[in-house]
Amino acid sequence: MVRSAQERVVARVREAEVVAAALSAGRNVVLEGPPGTGKTTLLRALASGTGVPLVLVEGNAELTPTRLVGHHDASRVLSEDYRPENFVPGPLTRAMTEGALLYVEEFNRVPEETMNVLLGVLSEREMHVPRFGRVPARPTFRLVAAMNPFDAVGTARITPALYDRSCRVAMGYQDEDAERAVVAAATGSPDTLVNRAVRAVRITRDHPELRIGSSVRGAIDTVLIATELAVVRGSTEVDERTGADAALAALTGKVTVSDGLTRPVEDVVSDIWRQAGEELGKP
């Protein structure tokens, strides 16, 4: 299980080991960290390594209990009345009956009533669905809830009851060398461009004019856009103007400016791109 994760996720050995151990011990897991830190990739790799099915759910305000649990087919109900055969299982029901890992992304965007359904299942390892019956969870069923920090827009605080029924694993940003390896693997581009893009996104995370910085996806997008933009402009290399234009396209939508900032986000990103070059010894 851990070996499979090591092959797919850079510099996440400790997290892979802890999550694997928690799941093997029959525990549910909360993966907590900013976007782009490999939470989904890690879990996919662990599930693949064990052969346990993975049921993925995108958490958002539209994830109602009905969508999570399932519903009776309305057209069949009209002709057949409520019968177990016309019940359409939702992701929670499928995961419980298949003994799968139920992976809920953006868990702290899920409505409270939906979280309460999950908490009941975690406590009892079964649920009762009206007009369908009892749904027991197979022994390998687990919940893995992934969430971004609380201060992200649209997120809510998670009830202590969830933490009490789960084990929390924090996943912060990887170090600079690891992020370079991630970007290099994803783009296959020269080190100079990769290094500058990674340095730029790391600067965004501590910049005084930005409330939320970019994940490593910003560096990947910067490198990919810059490479293609150079071709469009008839060049074999990424020059300063091309790199700056690529950074603007890739990063301005991935960062959030601080409250009260008066100058455009484009100016901030342009300054960051220049700073990244200066720190790496570029003109």
Side-chain angles (χ1 to χ4, degrees), residues 249-261:
L251 299 180
T252 52
K254 292 181 175 64
V255 299
T256 302
V257 299
S258 300
D259 295 338
L261 181 68

Side-chain angles (χ1 to χ4, degrees), residues 64-71 87-98 102 113-138 141:
T64 62
T66 298
R67 290 186 176 183
L68 183 67
V69 174
H71 63 279
F87 180 74
V88 181
L92 174 58
T93 304
R94 295 201 312 272
M96 293 175 69
T97 55
E98 295 173 8
L102 178 67
E113 60 269 23
T114 306
M115 288 188 186
N116 290 337
V117 172
L118 287 167
L119 286 173
V121 170
L122 298 187
S123 297
E124 306 297 332
R125 298 215 35 104
E126 67 176 35
M127 66 178 175
H128 180 77
V129 181
R131 297 191 174 99
F132 179 69
R134 173 177 169 270
V135 180
R138 295 187 63 182
F141 167 76

Side-chain angles (χ1 to χ4, degrees), residues 4 15 24-25 57 66 69 78 101 103 114 117 128 151 165 177 182 193 205-206 232-233 241 267 269 274:
S4 177
E15 292 88 344
S24 297
V57 179
T66 298
V69 174
L78 289 175
L101 298 179
Y103 181 51
T114 306
V117 172
H128 180 77
D151 62 354
R165 292 165 173 80
D177 287 343
V182 169
L193 179 58
R205 297 169 192 164
D206 298 310
V232 170
R233 291 174 172 173
R241 181 172 71 96
D267 290 355
V269 170
R274 284 193 294 271

